[in-house]
C-alpha cells in the first residue's frame, strides 16, 4: 500500500493582492471581489527567486532524505505548465545532480495540470511496487514559478502562488497510507490555462458535478463514507468554491482546511501537500484519521486521494 513517507514545503514571503493589483490587471471592483468574497488576501510570490531555488528549498527540508539519497529510484516533477524552459535545459536534471540523487530515473508528469501532484503519488507507488525493493523511494517535486500574467492569475479562480512541495513516497509503510484514488479527465475543448470563453463556461458547468463524482469514487475505493473523512485538504482556489462543495458532499465546512487560502493563493499542484503540512502543524490530524486530498487542473482533470494518517 503506497505510503507518503514525508512532506516538506517552501513558501516565498507573502505579498498582498492589493500590492499586485496593477501587475495582474485587476480593477478596483475585481480586487474587492477576490479579497472580500473569495477570501484571497495574500499570495506567496517572489519575482526574484528562480524555480530551481523554490524546489530545492522544499527538498532540503526533508529530514528523511538525508543519508537515503541512493534509495531514491525515481525523481518525478509534477507540473501544471508543460515547458518551463527551452530544450535541452532542464531544472530537474540540475536538481538531481545537486541533491545527489544519482540513482534516480527522472521524468515529469504534465498532462493533468494542477492534478498532476496527486497522480504522481499514484504513479510513484506503482513504479516502486514493480521495483520489488522495499527500501526504494520516489521523490515528487510540485509547485512552480508563475512567470507571466497568464500564469499568475486565473480569471474567475484567483491569483497563483509559488509555494512548492517535496513528497517522499514508498511502496508500503505504516503511516500516511493511500487507501483510495480516483481521477478523471473531461475535455473542455481547450486544454490550456488561458481558456476560451466557451471552454471556461464548459469547465464551470461540469466542475461541481465531476469533482463530486471523483471524490465519491475515491472515498468508496477506500471503503469509507464522507462522514468518516476527518479532514479535506483542498486545492486553494477560493473560499466560496469550497463552501459550496462542502455542502454538496454533505460535510461541514470546518472539515475543509481553508487556512491557507488567504495566505498562499493557488499554488498549482502543491496545494494539497502544502495543506497537509499545515494540518500536521495545527494538530488537525491524529493517527488513524482518514483525510482527503483534492486537486483540479484546467483542461479539465480532476483527482482525489484518500489517505490514512
Amino acid at each position: 500500500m503506497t505510503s507518503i513517507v514525508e512532506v516538506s514545503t517552501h513558501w516565498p514571503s507573502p505579498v498582498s493582492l492589493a500590492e499586485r493589483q496593477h501587475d495582474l490587471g485587476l480593477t478596483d471592483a475585481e480586487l474587492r471581489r477576490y479579497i472580500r468574497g473569495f477570501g484571497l488576501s495574500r499570495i506567496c510570490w517572489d519575482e526574484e527567486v528562480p524555480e530551481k531555488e523554490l524546489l530545492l528549498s522544499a527538498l532540503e527540508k526533508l529530514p528523511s532524505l538525508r543519508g537515503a539519497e541512493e534509495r531514491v529510484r525515481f525523481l518525478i516533477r509534477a507540473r501544471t505548465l508543460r515547458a518551463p524552459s527551452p530544450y535541452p535545459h532542464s531544472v530537474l536534471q540540475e536538481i538531481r545532480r545537486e541533491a545527489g540523487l544519482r540513482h534516480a530515473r527522472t521524468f515529469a508528469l504534465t498532462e493533468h495540470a494542477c492534478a498532476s501532484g496527486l497522480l504522481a503519488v499514484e504513479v510513484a507507488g506503482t513504479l516502486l511496487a514493480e521495483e520489488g525493493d522495499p527500501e526504494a523511494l520516489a521523490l515528487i517535486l510540485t509547485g512552480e514559478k508563475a512567470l507571466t500574467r497568464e500564469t499568475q492569475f486565473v480569471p474567475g479562480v484567483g491569483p497563483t502562488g509559488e509555494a512548492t512541495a517535496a513528497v517522499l513516497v514508498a511502496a508500503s509503510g505504516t503511516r500516511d497510507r493511500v487507501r483510495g484514488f480516483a481521477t478523471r479527465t473531461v475535455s473542455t475543448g481547450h486544454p490550456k490555462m488561458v481558456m476560451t470563453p466557451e471552454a471556461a463556461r464548459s469547465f464551470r458547468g461540469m466542475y461541481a458535478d465531476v469533482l463530486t463524482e471523483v471524490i465519491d469514487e475515491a472515498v468508496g475505493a477506500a471503503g469509507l463514507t464522507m462522514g468518516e473523512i476527518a479532514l479535506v485538504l483542498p486545492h486553494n482556489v477560493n473560499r466560496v468554491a469550497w463552501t459550496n462543495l462542502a455542502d454538496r458532499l454533505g460535510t461541514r465546512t470546518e472539515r475543509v482546511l481553508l487556512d491557507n487560502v488567504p495566505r498562499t493563493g493557488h499554488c498549482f499542484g502543491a496545494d494539497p501537500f502544502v495543506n497537509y503540512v499545515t494540518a500536521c502543524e495545527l494538530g488537525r490530524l491524529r493517527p488513524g484519521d482518514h483525510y482527503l486530498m483534492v486537486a483540479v487542473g484546467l483542461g479539465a482533470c480532476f483527482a482525489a486521494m484518500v489517505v490514512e494518517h
Side-chain angles (χ1 to χ4, degrees):
M1 189 177 293
T2 303
S3 174
I4 298 174
V5 177
E6 190 174 25
V7 179
S8 63
T9 60
H10 172 71
W11 299 11
S13 299
V15 298
S16 71
L17 185 56
E19 289 178 65
R20 303 224 54 227
Q21 178 183 2
H22 176 73
D23 291 339
L24 298 175
L26 298 176
T27 65
D28 290 343
E30 288 172 328
L31 181 66
R32 287 193 297 272
R33 179 162 71 99
Y34 283 109
I35 293 177
R36 297 177 185 175
F38 286 10
L40 299 164
S41 55
R42 298 178 72 79
I43 319 157
C44 56
W45 179 84
D46 191 327
E47 185 178 14
E48 303 299 324
V49 180
E51 183 168 276
K52 184 175 78 169
E53 186 174 328
L54 292 171
L55 294 169
L56 280 172
S57 294
L59 183 154
E60 290 165 356
K61 297 175 185 177
L62 283 174
S64 298
L65 184 60
R66 299 188 193 114
E69 289 86 354
E70 293 193 359
R71 294 169 55 196
V72 177
R73 304 296 170 79
F74 302 97
L75 175 60
I76 304 173
R77 180 77 174 96
R79 295 197 58 86
T80 293
L81 308 174
R82 289 189 181 98
S85 56
Y87 178 86
H89 177 69
S90 171
V91 166
L92 193 56
Q93 290 295 344
E94 292 179 9
I95 290 173
R96 176 180 177 271
R97 290 191 294 270
E98 293 183 25
L101 305 175
R102 61 191 183 93
H103 293 288
R105 282 164 277 179
T106 304
F107 62 93
L109 293 174
T110 62
E111 296 306 311
H112 278 56
C114 293
S116 293
L118 295 185
L119 175 68
V121 174
E122 177 75 1
V123 170
T126 300
L127 292 173
L128 290 169
E130 292 176 352
E131 284 284 295
D133 180 357
E135 296 297 313
L137 300 169
L139 177 60
I140 298 164
L141 299 177
T142 189
E144 49 210 276
K145 188 75 183 172
L147 292 170
T148 65
R149 180 181 291 186
E150 287 75 15
T151 59
Q152 291 169 8
F153 194 88
V154 182
V157 176
T160 58
E162 295 179 342
T164 54
V167 186
L168 203 58
V169 176
S172 62
T174 58
R175 54 169 294 176
D176 291 299
R177 296 179 297 171
V178 177
R179 298 288 305 277
F181 175 69
T183 184
R184 189 175 306 174
T185 300
V186 184
S187 176
T188 60
H190 193 81
K192 296 181 180 180
M193 281 193 68
V194 184
M195 294 190 292
T196 63
E198 294 78 10
R201 283 194 293 271
S202 175
F203 179 67
R204 288 193 298 269
M206 74 172 74
Y207 179 88
D209 288 338
V210 177
L211 185 53
T212 300
E213 291 170 4
V214 170
I215 288 172
D216 286 344
E217 184 179 341
V219 172
L224 302 170
T225 65
M226 275 304 299
E228 296 172 284
I229 299 297
L231 192 64
V232 179
L233 305 180
H235 57 308
N236 295 330
V237 285
N238 59 65
R239 184 172 54 203
V240 173
W242 275 105
T243 299
N244 293 337
L245 195 66
D247 187 57
R248 275 184 76 110
L249 293 170
T251 192
R252 301 193 307 273
T253 305
E254 292 77 16
R255 287 190 178 182
V256 183
L257 188 82
L258 297 175
D259 300 55
N260 290 327
V261 170
R263 300 192 294 178
T264 65
H266 169 41
C267 298
F268 302 98
D271 282 350
F273 306 106
V274 167
N275 288 331
Y276 168 83
V277 171
T278 297
C280 291
E281 291 172 347
L282 295 176
R284 297 286 302 272
L285 289 172
R286 298 172 297 177
D289 279 350
H290 290 92
Y291 59 92
L292 174 70
M293 305 176 87
V294 181
V296 178
L298 296 178
C301 300
F302 302 80
M305 179 172 283
V306 177
V307 186
E308 182 181 3
H309 190 54

